[in-house]
């Protein structure tokens, strides 16, 4: 009978077996890589080539490397770009102001009602985005409850002076578009905030209170800094789609509230000016990428986003 001693070593794997083992992670990544190549990289390359084409729908479009399309598109539609950024940033700020207290309540104070509140947060997703926006068109109509309430409080005169409403009406004004954006993207803010707050160890709050910290100090020194990953993730998930949205401006706004998404949609489907539409898409993507990069660096959360 053979005996095994401590000096015996297991047989070394052969070279082909070692190579196959090293390739396993790459094979697992292959489906995701193929998905990105087919549905992201390929359309991106196609849009890039479209943006430098010239021609017409009747004569056909040809790649002529006409980069002036970018400057022409930006110089003509920069008001819509600025309006989109302003509406998106305002809606994101409102979502943060409204969503943080609710996420805090669910994370620390909801108790046995936590699951019910979470269901209520995500319940709007069970309804079509279009139907939700059309519902706000009814809510904000001239005979709706919002206009009558603001009118009885004599607030519409102030909002008219600020330029967010017009003619003592809310629908087809900047306020209606921002309200629609805030409502539709509010869950995208609440969910990351809740996830980040829920991970905070409650013993940190107890330690702060044992050191005679006031509730506001506990929030400012403990809760909010630890929830910054959720704040950053929520603002990104809200700002990026809100800036590129066109449904809310189309249904709740007028021609004076058109966003850059409406211009791109019109150029693609109505005007049929594909190079301009593609150039506008790339300008929007580049602008958002720059703003997001700066925001992440300023917030100091590059390692958690």
């Amino acid at each position: 009978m053979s005996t095994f001693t401590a000096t015996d070593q297991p047989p070394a794997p052969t070279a082909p077996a070692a190579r196959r083992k090293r390739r396993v992670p790459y094979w697992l990544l292959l489906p995701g890589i193929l998905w990105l190549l087919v549905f992201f990289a390929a359309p991106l390359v196609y849009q890039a080539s479209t943006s430098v084409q010239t021609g017409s729908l009747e004569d056909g479009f040809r790649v002529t490397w006409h980069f002036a399309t970018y400057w022409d598109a930006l110089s003509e539609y920069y008001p819509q770009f600025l309006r989109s950024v302003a509406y998106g940033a305002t809606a994101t700020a409102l979502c943060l102001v409204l969503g943080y207290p609710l996420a805090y309540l669910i994370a620390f104070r909801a108790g046995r009602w936590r699951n019910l509140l979470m269901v209520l947060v995500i319940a709007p997703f069970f309804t079509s985005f279009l139907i939700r926006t059309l519902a706000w068109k009814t809510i904000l109509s001239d005979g709706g409850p919002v206009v009558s309430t603001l009118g009885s409080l004599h607030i519409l005169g102030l909002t008219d002076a600020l330029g967010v409403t017009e003619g003592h009406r809310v629908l087809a004004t900047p306020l209606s578009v921002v309200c629609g954006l805030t409502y539709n993207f509010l869950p995208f803010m609440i969910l990351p905030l809740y996830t980040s707050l829920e991970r905070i160890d409650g013993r940190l709050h107890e330690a702060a209170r044992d050191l005679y910290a006031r509730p506001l100090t506990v929030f400012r020194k403990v809760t909010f800094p630890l929830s910054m990953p959720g704040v950053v993730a929520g603002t990104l998930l809200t700002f990026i789609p809100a800036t590129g949205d066109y449904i809310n401006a189309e249904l709740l706004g007028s021609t004076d509230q058109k966003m850059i998404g409406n211009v791109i949609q019109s150029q693609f489907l109505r005007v049929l000016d594909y190079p301009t539409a593609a150039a506008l898409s790339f300008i929007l993507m580049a602008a958002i990428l720059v703003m997001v990069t700066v925001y992440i660096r300023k917030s100091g959360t590059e390692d958690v986003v």
Side-chain angles (χ1 to χ4, degrees), residues 129-149:
F129 188 93
L130 184 62
I131 294 176
R132 299 200 308 267
T133 308
L134 286 172
W136 271 92
K137 190 171 184 178
T138 303
I139 295 172
L140 299 176
S141 62
D142 295 343
V146 174
V147 173
S148 59
T149 301

Side-chain angles (χ1 to χ4, degrees), residues 62-140:
R62 300 184 308 276
V63 177
T64 58
W65 307 106
H66 189 258
F67 291 100
T69 304
Y70 284 86
W71 174 252
D72 295 338
L74 183 59
S75 60
E76 183 174 357
Y77 297 109
Y78 75 90
Q80 287 83 356
F81 270 108
L82 298 178
R83 187 179 299 126
S84 298
V85 173
Y87 287 176
T90 304
T92 301
L94 289 174
C95 285
L96 181 60
V97 171
L98 296 174
Y100 201 103
L102 180 56
Y104 185 93
L105 173 67
I106 298 174
F108 298 121
R109 298 289 187 267
R112 61 191 180 94
W113 301 101
R114 176 180 297 181
N115 293 335
L116 176 61
L117 291 175
M118 288 301 299
V119 170
L120 293 177
V121 168
I122 65 175
F125 288 125
F126 293 98
T127 306
S128 169
F129 188 93
L130 184 62
I131 294 176
R132 299 200 308 267
T133 308
L134 286 172
W136 271 92
K137 190 171 184 178
T138 303
I139 295 172
L140 299 176

Side-chain angles (χ1 to χ4, degrees), residues 155-223:
I155 296 178
L156 288 176
L158 176 61
T159 56
D160 285 353
L162 295 175
V164 296
T165 59
E166 183 178 352
H168 284 67
R169 62 192 309 262
V170 176
L171 193 62
T173 63
L175 180 60
S176 63
V177 177
V178 171
C179 286
L181 292 172
T182 303
Y183 167 75
N184 281 307
F185 295 108
L186 183 59
F188 292 96
M189 178 68 74
I190 295 176
L191 294 177
L193 286 174
Y194 165 76
T195 302
S196 183
L197 289 168
E198 195 268 339
R199 293 177 179 176
I200 298 177
D201 192 341
R203 291 174 295 182
L204 297 175
H205 293 159
E206 296 178 2
R209 287 191 292 268
D210 289 341
L211 295 173
Y212 303 101
R214 301 188 179 201
L216 182 60
T217 304
V218 174
F219 174 78
R220 185 168 56 89
K221 295 290 188 180
V222 178
T223 306

Side-chain angles (χ1 to χ4, degrees), residues 23-24 231 259:
R23 291 172 183 170
V24 169
V231 173
M259 300 169 65

